[in-house]
Amino acid sequence: MATEVITYNEDLIKMARIAKALSHPARLQILNILSKQTCCYSGNIAGEFPIALSTLSQHLKELKDSGLIQGEIMHPNIRYCINPENWHLAKELIDKFFNGYSLITEECCK
Amino acid sequence: MATEVITYNEDLIKMARIAKALSHPARLQILNILSKQTCCYSGNIAGEFPIALSTLSQHLKELKDSGLIQGEIMHPNIRYCINPENWHLAKELIDKFFNGYSLITEECCK
DNA sequence: TTTGTATTTCGTAAAAATACGAAGCAAAAG
DNA sequence: CTTTTGCTTCGTATTTTTACGAAATACAAA
């Protein structure tokens, strides 16, 4: 097979990257848990829903790679936080994307 | 391997589903093209960027399945539209998700 | 009915995502 | 120094995604 690589606009790729980070319930769950804290989270995330530690770690890595969260080792724990800047950035990108549509007459969509 | 299925909150699954639909540049590109129209799009999407027709069709199917767009056969063309209701629904879900965070002091994230 | 046009489905290949247990690692505690 | 604790990396299996060309399909037009 070819499985050719197509190049896309930079913003599109960035947006797709964020969406991909949000595209798994476990990762959304993790973000939800982080959000419920007044500050960073240092507890046992794996204790909050049934997931293997190694799987959780993979999801955390993905979220970290996407920039949405940040983690810092504070032995013997890890403090996980949402990354505020990137969070806002993501929010803006998505807003921009969704507001780019006029959706004028819903008539013509019939 | 087990590859166990974990059950998540319904809203989380819905949100993940939408995010997944948005997680590929080609699909974002398609949505962008649809958005540039004053109404539905009946042109040749494959002509707007290099992609095989069959691949495009697959992406369109995913977008349709996610509910974000709708397509209607108007031979010899197809009219593709954004699905306004689901679009708003998606927007609201995402907004709710992103606004769920207080992100109070960015201090504590340092 | 045959031809043309536009799209989808099928078959298939390759890559990426998902999940787990076992093993590894790094710092604190003993 | 050894043990404990908590997380990550490795190895691996399975499933899903992505991509394409070829074949099929559907209707309109000739």
Side-chain angles (χ1 to χ4, degrees), chain A residues 5-110:
Chain A
V5 178
I6 302 169
T7 49
Y8 293 97
N9 168 304
E10 223 7 89
D11 258 22
L12 240 49
I13 293 173
K14 236 186 262 175
M15 167 92 179
R17 182 122 188 57
I18 293 165
K20 182 166 253 166
L22 301 174
S23 74
H24 195 288
R27 291 194 285 273
L28 296 178
Q29 177 92 64
I30 292 168
L31 291 172
N32 264 338
I33 290 168
L34 294 192
S35 83
K36 297 240 175 60
Q37 314 306 312
T38 39
C39 187
C40 292
Y41 181 86
S42 306
N44 177 25
I45 297 177
E48 312 235 11
F49 62 108
I51 193 166
L53 272 170
S54 51
T55 306
L56 175 66
S57 203
Q58 264 180 129
H59 284 307
L60 285 169
K61 183 170 160 37
E62 277 217 53
L63 286 171
K64 268 188 276 182
D65 289 350
S66 79
L68 287 175
I69 71 169
Q70 58 198 168
E72 200 191 352
I73 298 172
M74 302 283 279
H75 267 275
N77 288 301
I78 292 244
R79 267 165 48 101
Y80 278 113
C81 277
I82 285 162
N83 180 311
E85 295 102 81
N86 289 338
W87 188 264
H88 284 124
L89 222 135
K91 189 168 155 41
E92 268 161 41
L93 252 178
I94 294 173
D95 278 357
K96 200 176 120 195
F97 183 81
F98 270 92
N99 290 129
Y101 300 96
S102 35
L103 296 178
I104 348 145
T105 50
E106 306 201 355
E107 284 309 302
C108 76
C109 300
K110 297 282 168 59

